[in-house]
């Protein structure tokens, strides 16, 4: 049985970066609500009686997409996965309760870094419009500016990576998501990792934590 891993932490802590490595190293599926929602930004959710009619309107404001939309996406993704790394969910206490009814977990990893570092990482992030590869204008620049090293696609800035929206995402994290950490603090596989190190140094600790708990 492949490991069931949950990775938590604020926007920019490196969840996506480390989840990609986990998915490859431990042969598990990377289940990410952010990517799933970005692929469905224009989905019509007006029948759910929500404030906005599409997920994209919440995302571009830095707000959480309604639980009913996200819970259903995660439940479907986990039901077909033989091991997973879950990234971006749960983001509030109700989602944590919903997750409890869907699966058990082997490891709960928590990454963190200082707020100004998170802002620098996110406002400097560039993403390939074709293959989704991640770069950073200063910390991991592409060989040619604006061009993806992996597929030659165009590098773009995510619409929610402007400084104003990043600060709103961080405040939503502090209010809604940080309290969720306490719900996992007694889990046998709970490990806090300093995300304010190089990606390789963070990875050494992430990989070891998963090995220690599976
Ligand atoms: P989502 O896409 O999940 O964004 P996020 O949680 O804000 O996380 P990020 O992807 O921005 O950061 P990350 O921690 O993965 O960092 P990364 O590795 O990319 O969510 C977006 C939106 O979708 C939400 O605002 C919300 O609207 C909606 N949503 C998603 N899930 C939801 C849910 N469950 N409920 C309701 N709504 C939901 O790294 C960032 C940058 O830093 C990169 O450039 C990278 O190269 C660089 N970097 C990474 N690690 C390091 C390091 N160690 N040192 C230096 N640079 C580094």
């Amino acid at each position: 049985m492949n490991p069931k891993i949950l990775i938590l932490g604020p926007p920019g802590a490196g969840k996506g970066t480390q989840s990609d490595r986990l998915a490859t190293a431990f042969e598990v599926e990377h289940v990410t609500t952010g990517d799933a929602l970005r692929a469905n930004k224009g989905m019509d959710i007006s029948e759910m009686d929500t404030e906005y009619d599409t997920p994209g309107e919440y995302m571009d404001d830095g707000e959480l997409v309604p639980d009913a939309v996200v819970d259903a996406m995660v439940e479907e993704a986990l039901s077909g996965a033989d091991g997973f790394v879950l990234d971006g969910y749960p983001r509030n206490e109700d989602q944590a309760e919903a997750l409890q009814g869907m699966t058990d977990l082997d490891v709960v990893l928590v990454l963190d870094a200082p707020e100004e570092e998170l802002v620098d990482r996110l406002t400097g992030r560039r993403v390939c419009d074709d293959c989704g590869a991640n770069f950073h204008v200063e910390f991991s620049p592409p060989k040619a500016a604006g061009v993806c090293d992996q597929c030659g696609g165009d590098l773009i800035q995510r619409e929610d990576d402007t400084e104003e929206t990043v600060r709103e995402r961080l405040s939503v994290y502090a209010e809604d998501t940080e309290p969720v950490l306490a719900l996992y603090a007694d889990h046998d596989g709970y490990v806090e990792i300093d995300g304010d190190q190089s990606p390789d140094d963070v990875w050494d600790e992430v990989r070891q934590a998963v090995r220690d708990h599976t």
Side-chain angles (χ1 to χ4, degrees):
M1 191 74 173
N2 287 327
K4 297 174 181 175
I5 306 161
L6 174 62
I7 190 161
L8 296 166
K15 303 181 299 293
T17 302
Q18 299 299 327
S19 293
D20 283 341
R21 295 184 184 211
L22 283 165
T24 304
F26 291 94
E27 298 181 350
V28 293
E29 202 164 314
H30 182 188
V31 176
T32 150
T33 46
D35 285 356
L37 288 166
R38 269 184 290 282
N40 291 282
K41 273 185 105 169
M43 182 169 69
D44 183 0
I45 55 171
S46 57
E47 275 183 13
M48 291 180 171
D49 199 22
T50 47
E51 184 186 354
Y52 295 124
D53 291 342
T54 62
E57 288 166 273
Y58 291 92
M59 298 169 82
D60 292 348
D61 276 359
E63 303 299 330
L64 295 186
V65 176
D67 292 346
V69 178
V70 190
D71 292 346
M73 281 178 168
V74 173
E75 185 151 28
E76 193 187 334
L78 296 188
S79 69
D82 174 20
F84 56 80
V85 51
L86 178 57
D87 159 20
Y89 181 96
R91 266 177 144 95
N92 59 33
E93 292 180 355
D94 287 340
Q95 292 183 10
E97 202 182 317
L99 179 62
Q100 219 177 3
M102 294 178 210
T103 184
D104 53 354
L105 299 164
D106 298 310
V107 194
V108 179
L109 304 172
V110 181
L111 297 182
D112 208 353
E115 177 158 337
E116 288 315 307
E117 169 74 14
L118 300 173
V119 173
D120 287 348
R121 286 184 188 179
L122 293 174
T123 52
R125 171 167 55 187
R126 297 294 180 270
V127 183
C128 177
D129 205 16
D130 288 339
C131 72
N134 245 316
F135 296 87
H136 190 281
V137 289
E138 191 185 336
F139 306 141
S140 56
K143 291 190 186 102
V147 181
C148 177
D149 289 352
Q150 294 180 20
C151 76
D154 290 338
L155 299 185
I156 57 162
Q157 184 173 32
R158 256 170 58 173
E159 281 177 48
D160 61 348
D161 277 348
T162 60
E163 181 166 350
E164 189 189 353
T165 309
V166 165
R167 292 205 184 270
E168 176 58 20
R169 286 160 60 197
L170 290 169
S171 106
V172 168
Y173 176 82
E175 187 162 330
D176 292 335
T177 312
E178 221 163 53
V180 169
L181 303 188
L183 304 178
Y184 293 102
D186 290 336
H187 189 288
D188 287 345
Y190 182 89
V191 184
E192 291 182 356
I193 291 170
D194 179 10
D196 192 17
Q197 316 177 66
S198 74
D200 286 346
D201 287 344
V202 176
W203 171 239
D204 285 344
E205 293 190 28
V206 163
R207 182 179 46 194
Q208 193 56 46
V210 174
R211 285 181 177 158
D212 287 347
H213 292 93
T214 51

